[in-house]
Amino acid sequence: AKSDMAYHRVLVSQSLPEWIREVELSDAVEYIIPLLNGLATDELDVCAAFAPEIGRVMWFFFRNCPIAELADDSSEMQQNGDDAQPEKASRPRISLAAFTTLLCALLLNQNTIIAGATQQSLVHLFYRLDRRDLELSKEELAEKSDEEVKARQQEQARLDELASSLLGLGALRAAAQET
């Protein structure tokens, strides 16, 4: 992503959603998230390649990392069962604001193709966040314990809050376009 050749950065932009799965989660949070801002503010070709992929990249992080503003230490301790000791290698947390700068850069881009591709990618992300509760059928939910269902409902509430926060960015773009 820091290559001098634009072609390499375009390739990284397009392939990042697949490549990121091969990276340790803590390394992805520490090293990849900071690189995303550079891709969002790069040359036109790089931004155009990155914009349609931003939703998939965000999905990876929001699906695998607890949200810092929403996560609490008690939920991490419950995952350990009877041990009552916190996990030694807990998942890294990300802030809701982790993607704010790059989303603003892409959504407010003067090039309507880039801004439109970003919007479409975010719509797809919101759809995935909204449909996450449909992954299990009613029969499968009936087989789950009350604790598992409650944990799933709490996670869905966190994702709903995340989607609401991200929708505020869409309102920011609409207001910026009116001025």
Short mmCIF file of all heavy atoms in Angstrom, two decimals, residues 30 38 49 57 72 81 88 113 167:
data_model
loop_
_atom_site.label_atom_id
_atom_site.label_comp_id
_atom_site.label_asym_id
_atom_site.label_seq_id
_atom_site.Cartn_x
_atom_site.Cartn_y
_atom_site.Cartn_z
N GLU A 30 -3.40 -3.17 13.98
CA GLU A 30 -2.25 -2.29 14.22
C GLU A 30 -1.66 -1.72 12.94
O GLU A 30 -1.26 -0.55 12.90
CB GLU A 30 -1.17 -3.05 14.99
CG GLU A 30 -0.02 -2.18 15.42
CD GLU A 30 0.98 -2.92 16.29
OE1 GLU A 30 0.67 -4.03 16.78
OE2 GLU A 30 2.09 -2.38 16.48
N GLY A 38 -4.48 6.17 3.75
CA GLY A 38 -3.65 6.49 2.60
C GLY A 38 -4.30 6.04 1.30
O GLY A 38 -4.24 6.76 0.29
N ALA A 49 -10.40 2.13 -7.09
CA ALA A 49 -10.29 0.69 -6.83
C ALA A 49 -10.64 0.36 -5.39
O ALA A 49 -11.19 -0.72 -5.11
CB ALA A 49 -8.87 0.21 -7.15
N VAL A 57 -13.93 -4.55 3.78
CA VAL A 57 -12.85 -4.40 4.75
C VAL A 57 -13.43 -4.07 6.13
O VAL A 57 -13.03 -4.65 7.15
CB VAL A 57 -11.85 -3.31 4.29
CG1 VAL A 57 -10.83 -3.01 5.38
CG2 VAL A 57 -11.15 -3.74 3.00
N ASP A 72 -17.49 -4.44 26.81
CA ASP A 72 -17.17 -4.32 28.23
C ASP A 72 -16.37 -5.54 28.65
O ASP A 72 -16.41 -6.58 28.03
CB ASP A 72 -18.44 -4.15 29.09
CG ASP A 72 -19.41 -5.30 28.95
OD1 ASP A 72 -19.17 -6.19 28.11
OD2 ASP A 72 -20.40 -5.33 29.69
N GLY A 81 -16.10 -19.12 30.47
CA GLY A 81 -16.83 -20.13 31.23
C GLY A 81 -16.50 -20.10 32.70
O GLY A 81 -16.54 -19.07 33.35
N LYS A 88 -6.16 -14.43 28.10
CA LYS A 88 -4.80 -13.92 28.03
C LYS A 88 -4.55 -13.21 26.71
O LYS A 88 -3.84 -12.24 26.65
CB LYS A 88 -3.81 -15.07 28.23
CG LYS A 88 -3.90 -15.68 29.61
CD LYS A 88 -2.62 -16.40 29.94
CE LYS A 88 -2.57 -17.06 31.27
NZ LYS A 88 -3.44 -16.77 32.29
N ILE A 113 -18.01 9.08 -9.15
CA ILE A 113 -17.87 7.63 -9.28
C ILE A 113 -17.32 7.04 -7.99
O ILE A 113 -17.81 6.02 -7.49
CB ILE A 113 -16.99 7.27 -10.49
CG1 ILE A 113 -17.69 7.69 -11.78
CG2 ILE A 113 -16.65 5.78 -10.50
CD1 ILE A 113 -16.84 7.57 -13.02
N LEU A 167 -24.56 5.52 9.67
CA LEU A 167 -25.55 6.23 8.87
C LEU A 167 -25.43 7.73 9.06
O LEU A 167 -25.74 8.50 8.16
CB LEU A 167 -26.97 5.77 9.22
CG LEU A 167 -27.37 4.42 8.65
CD1 LEU A 167 -28.72 3.99 9.19
CD2 LEU A 167 -27.40 4.44 7.13
#
